[in-house]
Amino acid sequence: QVQLVESGGGLVQPGGSLRLSCAASRITFSIYDMGWYRQAPGKQRELVAGITSDGTTNYTLSVKGRFTISRDNAENTVYLQMNSLKPEDTANYYCNARFRRGYVNLNYWGQGIQVTVSS
């Protein structure tokens, strides 16, 4: 069974940093597009950052210049470095793995990890 396991969340003060990790197992990690999503209470889940199988990245506007997504295909892991954190970054963060080719459409989620930015 495919597993995506997030780690690195927690409580941090405004202006601080956190690094989220998502370790994948039982998938051919290198061919998947990976993403970090977040969902705050009462809000819809939104894409924070994505990285394709060939390394192309994209970010939602509110995190550009503060967050960096990266991947290590040898370690089957995707990272989200979060700097200059703001209270509005508080949310449950989810790792996503997606593979689409022709009729094949595979989509997997991690269990989520809480990030709280508060003084």
Side-chain angles (χ1 to χ4, degrees), residues 19-37:
R19 188 194 196 202
L20 302 184
S21 301
C22 171
S25 58
R26 298 185 180 90
I27 61 172
T28 306
F29 181 81
S30 62
I31 67 173
Y32 279 75
D33 297 334
M34 301 299 297
W36 286 97
Y37 288 71

Side-chain angles (χ1 to χ4, degrees), residues 85-104:
L85 282 160
K86 304 176 181 180
E88 51 263 43
D89 295 316
T90 296
N92 215 21
Y93 283 70
Y94 297 88
C95 178
N96 173 261
R98 185 182 70 185
F99 177 81
R100 293 178 183 175
R101 292 292 188 276
Y103 295 106
V104 178

Side-chain angles (χ1 to χ4, degrees), residues 41-69:
K43 294 189 176 181
Q44 287 190 331
R45 189 174 296 189
E46 64 169 349
L47 175 65
V48 176
I51 184 166
T52 64
S53 58
D54 65 1
T56 302
T57 59
N58 66 286
Y59 300 90
T60 192
L61 186 60
S62 63
V63 309
K64 278 186 177 179
R66 300 189 297 122
F67 290 11
T68 303
I69 189 170

Side-chain angles (χ1 to χ4, degrees), residues 62-92:
S62 63
V63 309
K64 278 186 177 179
R66 300 189 297 122
F67 290 11
T68 303
I69 189 170
S70 61
R71 64 189 298 159
D72 184 338
N73 288 342
E75 296 294 329
N76 288 0
T77 301
V78 62
Y79 303 97
L80 185 67
Q81 178 66 45
M82 304 186 293
N83 299 328
S84 303
L85 282 160
K86 304 176 181 180
E88 51 263 43
D89 295 316
T90 296
N92 215 21

Side-chain angles (χ1 to χ4, degrees), residues 6-12 18 20 39-41 82 87 89-94 111-117:
E6 299 102 337
S7 61
L11 173 64
V12 64
L18 283 175
L20 302 184
Q39 187 168 19
M82 304 186 293
D89 295 316
T90 296
N92 215 21
Y93 283 70
Y94 297 88
Q111 80 284 356
I113 192 163
Q114 180 67 35
V115 171
T116 303
V117 185

